[in-house]
Amino acid sequence: MRKRQIMFAVLSVMIFSLGDYCLIERPEAHGLPISDSRATEATAESVAARSEKPTSAHFGQTAGNSFFFGPQNIYLLAANTLFRSVADDLTVWHRLGDNFPLRLAAADPAQDNILYAVNPANQILKSVDGGQKWLNVSPGVQPPYSAITTLLVNPADSKEVFAGTQSGILRTQDAGFTWQHTSFGGSVSELLIGPRASALISVLSAGTIFTSSDHGTTWKRSETGLPLVLVRGAARTASQSPVKVTMLLLVDREKPFLLALTDGKGMFRSNDNGASWSISAPSFTAAADATAFVDGDRILIASEGKVHSSSDGAAWSTISIKSSGKSIQSVAGIIRSSARDGYMLRFRFAGDPESASRLGYLNPNGTLLGLNYGVVPYSIIDNVWTGTINGKEAVFAHGEDHTDRTMIPVDNDGWMPEYLANAFMAYSVDNGYSWEFLGSGGPNCGGRTAGFRDLKSIWVYGGNCVIKSEDGGGSWATLSGFSIASGISKLQRDPVDPNLAYYCTGLNDHGLYRYTYDPASQRGQSVALNVRAPDVIVAEDDPKLIFTGSGQASTDGGWTWVDRAAPLNNLLRNANVGEGYLQPLKLLSFRNHEIRLVLFKGDISYGAEAGTTTILKSRNLGETWEEVKSFREHLLIHSSAGWSLGAYVNPSDSANFFIATDVFGAKPRVFRVQETKDSGASWRQIYSQAFPYNQDPPPFSRGLVQSVAQISKDGRRTLFIGGAIGLLRSDDEGKTWTTLGGAR
């Protein structure tokens, strides 16, 4: 990538919505991008549209923009995750660090490996290795500083860094070792310094411009020449005040100038660092959430599905963004590429979830090409499964965006995050390289799936509703007729009849219901079977045989039952499975009159005690059980949704299943996933991760691993793991893993 020079800097890389989705990261090995035909399909059209002659290099100012610049690299901060461009055409991005959460970031204009950032806890961080590791350099000032809103590294002196807050400006002059309050005491939304005269500083504070000509020692309002508007006060009073400014830009030319976008009064220009203003574009307007990019010869402002372009801030041309029948809701970032004509956008379509964001190339004609999509960073992937969509094999992911959070106390463990969840569903037809969002099946529908044979018929459950797709996930409809009491812990479809299912529901003691769906009337009906059951399984080869997690057995499709709870109670400590409460066991398979389950024996309170995870089988419908395999000193991973989330069965082959365990006592703790292809007779480890018990995130009350899926094609298998660790993919049978998104 060609050497880039920052002509000036600003940090108005402002706070984004913490729930934004990010673009997808291409797979990398040992830090080098991997070329893969599947990965490049989505961008083929945009690559073909490259210009023979590149436009100007990437340097300049970004206001309200997801993109920012170092001397040689371009960065993108999206959804608390930092990326670096590893291709001149901006189609390949590398995720920096270990998915560490960041909400603001800025680059050193002199040394590309030095970065500054602010995390959700309002701490200032510094990296000296290009974002791989971060040091806490938070100011120890009095009075304590308020929420940080901007970061700016002085383009003329990289040892000087400014942090704008809601109540003033902090400054360090020794690269973050010590910090001081400056004399400015207002809120800061934008902070500008020009490299030609670093003593001149401009600030946008609550719609008002302030300037300093002595390096921030003294400040004065910058409003001469701005129009006055009538402002209503209390008791029917009114007064005239300068118009509010919504965006402030510094255009660094041979003779630098400022541009101020006002609230309904057009664009104004100052040639004397804000001492006076004159009208530049009287009719120019943009939304309050507009984003801007300024380089050596062009000023760009993106707003409400349009990109406005000007060389001087007076004459503006407008491109309306055209896409495949969808309108643009908002743009969170815009940048010019040095390798092609046009722009790279970070945006959201109308109708997208609030937390959705997309990345695409906008050609000079205003057409969006080569879109990429991603799974939410800092989300819990409740479930990942495979199916088909539009005739293509696909992998689906259901997750909960957990970026909005508060800190809650935990006994003996300090503090842990409590996340506020927003459900989403996405699919990928290229093994997770790019994603399209299906939205949410309803905030309480959950993310567990119950497929039928080839998985073209998929039911999604877990919350207070059930949705279905009969085309592998292409379209969805809500199923009626369920009698749900505080969520569904298990839904098991009949192996022969796609319209028959059994489900368990309840707050504490779970009841079992039989559900039938009538495709003609598109209505369903539930019948209570008067059995307590937190889990249920139907024999693959004889649908009249049913067994429940409460130890109840039926040989006539659930109409009569035999109590086999006592043998299971003997295997568990201080438990009575017959009461229908959730227990640390999961039914895995039922075929050839043999039932297999996984069971944890030990203290299950908060996952804090060691125990034994055991695979058991019964050949006589639960009368007796024998051990298949035992993993001592391991704890079955569980979640707040129930104990059943530690084992995952291949829907196409019930002899192939996975268990997730915690190697208790290890420091740091080690979590791993193991696989069997012969119903538990032999095992191999496919994934492991060292994870300190109280590390944040994720909250340890949720399962680090909650789902495993796989796609097999041409004799090769792709594995996917989803959970509080995020979404991971392996193309080499678990030897290496690529993060596709989510939390780690």
Side-chain angles (χ1 to χ4, degrees):
M1 188 177 291
R2 68 173 62 181
K3 179 79 174 178
R4 294 175 174 83
Q5 178 182 5
I6 295 185
M7 302 302 293
F8 54 88
V10 57
L11 207 112
S12 302
V13 173
M14 313 299 299
I15 303 175
F16 318 127
S17 166
L18 296 182
D20 284 352
Y21 293 96
C22 78
L23 74 170
I24 197 69
E25 172 197 8
R26 294 291 193 264
E28 302 214 2
H30 307 295
L32 299 175
I34 295 176
S35 175
D36 187 293
S37 59
R38 294 166 299 181
T40 57
E41 286 177 1
T43 58
E45 188 176 9
S46 61
V47 171
R50 294 182 187 178
S51 170
E52 291 288 335
K53 182 179 180 181
T55 61
S56 60
H58 301 299
F59 55 82
Q61 173 193 356
T62 57
N65 204 325
S66 303
F67 301 99
F68 65 98
F69 310 91
Q72 297 186 22
N73 288 309
I74 303 171
Y75 298 91
L76 170 64
L77 182 60
N80 298 81
T81 306
L82 185 61
F83 300 86
R84 183 185 73 244
S85 174
V86 292
D88 280 344
D89 61 6
L90 306 180
T91 58
V92 183
W93 295 80
H94 173 55
R95 183 190 304 269
L96 298 178
D98 193 21
N99 218 6
F100 199 78
L102 305 172
R103 62 179 180 84
L104 294 172
D108 187 310
Q111 301 181 69
D112 215 41
N113 60 331
I114 296 180
L115 300 167
Y116 295 87
V118 178
N119 65 12
N122 206 39
Q123 296 171 323
I124 299 179
L125 310 175
K126 180 179 180 179
S127 174
V128 295
D129 59 4
Q132 299 304 313
K133 296 181 181 179
W134 296 89
L135 303 172
N136 187 347
V137 294
S138 297
V141 295
Q142 292 295 331
Y145 60 96
S146 58
I148 298 172
T149 54
T150 64
L151 276 179
L152 169 64
V153 183
N154 188 337
D157 180 5
S158 62
K159 291 184 179 180
E160 186 172 52
V161 184
F162 294 85
T165 74
Q166 291 180 343
S167 58
I169 299 174
L170 297 168
R171 176 173 58 195
T172 176
Q173 294 178 302
D174 53 15
F177 286 99
T178 60
W179 295 80
Q180 304 83 33
H181 286 291
T182 67
S183 62
F184 188 82
S187 63
V188 178
S189 57
E190 293 183 23
L191 180 61
L192 311 177
I193 297 179
R196 301 171 191 264
S198 61
L200 303 178
I201 306 176
S202 303
V203 168
L204 182 60
S205 173
T208 300
I209 302 171
F210 294 85
T211 61
S212 173
S213 59
D214 54 10
H215 208 69
T217 302
T218 60
W219 298 85
K220 59 183 179 181
R221 287 176 175 265
S222 172
E223 53 191 29
T224 302
L226 294 177
L228 299 177
V229 294
L230 193 64
V231 179
R232 297 188 181 277
R236 299 184 179 180
T237 61
S239 61
Q240 286 191 327
S241 297
V243 66
K244 294 293 183 182
V245 175
T246 59
M247 179 183 289
L248 184 63
L249 301 176
L250 172 60
V251 182
D252 188 62
R253 305 280 170 79
E254 184 177 350
K255 295 181 178 181
F257 59 90
L258 293 171
L259 290 176
L261 178 61
T262 65
D263 185 7
K265 296 295 182 178
M267 179 81 74
F268 286 75
R269 173 170 170 161
S270 174
N271 297 319
D272 51 14
N273 194 44
S276 62
W277 294 88
S278 60
I279 190 69
S280 176
S283 60
F284 187 87
T285 60
D289 60 351
T291 183
F293 169 77
V294 184
D295 64 10
D297 60 358
R298 187 59 46 184
I299 306 162
L300 302 174
I301 296 179
S303 172
E304 298 179 318
K306 296 180 180 180
V307 175
H308 308 280
S309 176
S310 175
S311 61
D312 57 5
W316 292 83
S317 60
T318 300
I319 298 175
S320 294
I321 302 174
K322 299 182 287 290
S323 58
S324 55
K326 297 181 179 181
S327 60
I328 303 296
Q329 178 74 25
S330 61
V331 178
I334 183 171
I335 191 174
R336 277 215 291 180
S337 169
S338 64
R340 67 174 84 170
D341 290 330
Y343 319 107
M344 187 65 68
L345 298 182
R346 179 171 175 253
F347 65 96
R348 182 164 61 91
F349 279 135
D352 277 347
E354 281 293 326
S355 54
S357 182
R358 306 170 183 265
L359 187 72
Y361 165 69
L362 184 70
N363 71 12
N365 297 322
T367 302
L368 272 172
L369 304 171
L371 306 182
N372 297 302
Y373 314 94
V375 173
V376 190
Y378 284 92
S379 62
I380 287 179
I381 307 301
D382 290 321
N383 198 13
V384 54
W385 70 95
T386 57
T388 59
I389 188 165
N390 298 326
K392 295 182 178 180
E393 198 169 41
V395 57
F396 294 82
H398 182 281
E400 296 176 0
D401 175 0
H402 282 231
T403 50
D404 295 327
R405 65 181 187 172
T406 57
M407 301 301 290
I408 59 174
V410 179
D411 292 342
N412 302 321
D413 282 300
W415 294 79
M416 65 172 283
E418 179 179 53
Y419 293 82
L420 307 175
N422 300 299
F424 72 94
M425 190 184 300
Y427 73 88
S428 170
V429 295
D430 53 12
N431 277 5
Y433 287 103
S434 59
W435 294 83
E436 175 61 279
F437 300 108
L438 294 171
S440 169
N444 297 314
C445 279
R448 305 187 198 178
T449 55
F452 182 78
R453 292 181 179 170
D454 61 0
L455 288 182
K456 289 184 178 179
S457 176
I458 305 170
W459 294 8
V460 176
Y461 69 96
N464 293 320
C465 52
V466 179
I467 57 175
K468 75 177 183 73
S469 173
E470 298 300 331
D471 56 5
S475 58
W476 296 86
T478 301
L479 287 170
S480 64
F482 281 90
S483 179
I484 302 176
S486 189
I488 296 177
S489 62
K490 178 64 177 293
L491 189 150
Q492 174 73 54
R493 298 179 69 180
D494 186 274
V496 176
D497 185 352
N499 299 309
L500 174 63
Y502 301 86
Y503 66 95
C504 309
T505 182
L507 179 60
N508 290 315
D509 54 332
H510 290 64
L512 181 64
Y513 289 77
R514 177 187 174 99
Y515 177 82
T516 54
Y517 176 74
D518 179 15
S521 64
Q522 298 185 359
R523 294 182 178 180
Q525 183 177 8
S526 296
V527 176
L529 297 180
N530 300 317
V531 171
R532 292 176 177 175
D535 195 2
V536 63
I537 193 167
V538 181
E540 299 173 24
D541 46 5
D542 187 351
K544 292 183 179 180
L545 299 179
I546 304 174
F547 193 78
T548 75
S550 57
Q552 309 302 305
S554 175
T555 59
D556 58 5
W559 302 114
T560 61
W561 297 87
V562 177
D563 187 357
R564 300 284 169 77
L568 286 179
N569 288 332
N570 292 334
L571 297 169
L572 290 167
R573 180 197 302 178
N574 302 323
N576 184 357
V577 298
E579 293 178 348
Y581 294 104
L582 289 171
Q583 299 291 345
L585 66 83
K586 179 173 182 177
L587 299 169
L588 297 174
S589 63
F590 191 179
R591 64 181 184 279
N592 299 325
H593 292 269
E594 180 184 277
I595 306 168
R596 297 210 174 197
L597 61 81
V598 59
L599 174 145
F600 170 71
K601 292 189 289 186
D603 186 346
I604 59 177
S605 62
Y606 235 14
E609 295 294 335
T612 302
T613 298
T614 305
I615 308 297
L616 300 168
K617 66 180 180 182
S618 173
R619 300 179 183 273
N620 50 20
L621 209 57
E623 283 191 55
T624 59
W625 295 87
E626 58 182 289
E627 182 178 305
V628 177
K629 181 71 174 180
S630 181
F631 301 91
R632 303 191 183 279
E633 302 303 321
H634 288 65
L635 173 68
L636 186 68
I637 300 295
H638 58 275
S639 83
S640 60
W643 305 112
S644 62
L645 296 182
Y648 320 98
V649 182
N650 182 350
S652 302
D653 179 8
S654 61
N656 177 208
F657 52 84
F658 307 80
I659 64 168
T661 55
D662 170 9
V663 183
F664 184 82
K667 294 183 180 181
R669 297 173 75 181
V670 176
F671 297 86
R672 63 177 180 171
V673 179
Q674 299 180 79
E675 178 188 20
T676 178
K677 296 182 179 181
D678 51 15
S679 297
S682 60
W683 294 82
R684 72 180 187 94
Q685 178 176 295
I686 64 167
Y687 175 79
S688 67
Q689 179 187 355
F691 200 93
Y693 183 71
N694 61 350
Q695 183 172 326
D696 167 38
F700 53 77
S701 61
R702 296 298 303 266
L704 284 175
V705 175
Q706 296 192 27
S707 186
V708 180
Q710 55 188 303
I711 290 178
S712 297
K713 187 175 183 180
D714 300 330
R716 299 184 63 183
R717 186 172 67 149
T718 301
L719 293 169
F720 299 89
I721 290 178
I725 57 171
L727 183 60
L728 310 177
R729 186 195 70 242
S730 174
D731 299 312
D732 55 9
E733 292 294 315
K735 295 178 182 177
T736 59
W737 293 86
T738 299
T739 300
L740 300 178
R744 291 189 67 187

